[in-house]
Amino acid sequence: MELEKLARSLKEAYPDGWAGERESLVTLLVQKGYPRRQAVELAGALEAKGYAHFLPGERPRWVFTRRPLDLKALMRALDHEYQAFVGEGDEEEEALAFLTARLEGDREVAREVLEALRSAGYVETAYSPELLRDRLFFRFPEALGLWA
């Protein structure tokens, strides 16, 4: 099975990701019927190609995307650039606009990424006194620390 099809099937089966620690992706693939050795290889390939992303922290999980992406770079952009970004509309639309711009206009994947980050506990809505309105805040020190 090619990686793209496997990634798509994982995304469809687990739209909110797969809760668990780093080794849990191999376990998931074994449960899907792959021999352990092949499951280890597939898990590594999915992650290396950017279809599967492990998010550590209080609610660790694997998230899957329909297209490959560099989630590390995207999270760094959110951590450094999003704070200065002020879009129009509500806080959800503002975050989606930022992510969509970073993902070359792919709003569907931007929504997937936002939901994945929310599921892993990296997103919260809070009041922004500077903007006098609610805003989404992204915090992922565990993840950025691992990739530093």
Side-chain angles (χ1 to χ4, degrees):
M1 174 184 279
E2 68 179 57
L3 285 180
E4 187 176 338
K5 288 181 182 177
L6 177 58
R8 197 174 356 191
S9 71
L10 289 170
K11 179 63 189 166
E12 289 170 4
Y14 307 100
D16 294 328
W18 176 258
E21 296 296 333
R22 181 164 267 297
E23 59 281 345
S24 68
L25 179 56
V26 172
T27 303
L28 171 64
L29 293 172
V30 168
Q31 290 173 357
K32 288 192 150 302
Y34 293 99
R36 178 149 186 81
R37 183 178 174 142
Q38 185 181 11
V40 169
E41 291 172 2
L42 283 171
L46 285 167
E47 188 172 19
K49 295 290 185 184
Y51 288 107
H53 312 275
F54 179 68
L55 299 176
E58 291 180 25
R59 298 186 298 210
R61 66 192 320 98
W62 281 94
V63 296
F64 311 107
T65 53
R66 293 179 205 282
R67 78 170 224 213
L69 59 94
D70 186 348
L71 189 60
K72 297 172 197 175
L74 192 58
M75 291 170 77
R76 282 192 188 102
L78 284 166
D79 194 45
H80 295 103
E81 299 170 35
Y82 178 74
Q83 298 162 357
F85 177 84
V86 179
E88 296 181 13
D90 68 12
E91 63 274 7
E92 184 95 7
E93 282 301 314
E94 178 179 87
L96 279 172
F98 182 86
L99 290 168
T100 300
R102 291 291 182 269
L103 293 169
E104 301 162 0
D106 195 333
R107 189 172 172 87
E108 182 179 342
V109 174
R111 186 173 300 285
E112 289 177 4
V113 167
L114 182 58
E115 290 308 313
L117 293 174
R118 183 177 281 128
S119 296
Y122 294 135
V123 180
E124 68 181 54
T125 303
Y127 184 74
S128 171
E130 305 88 36
L131 300 176
L132 301 174
R133 64 181 176 90
D134 284 344
R135 186 151 198 225
L136 290 185
F137 289 92
F138 295 86
R139 293 186 180 87
F140 19 73
E142 305 94 353
L144 291 176
L146 287 175
W147 295 326

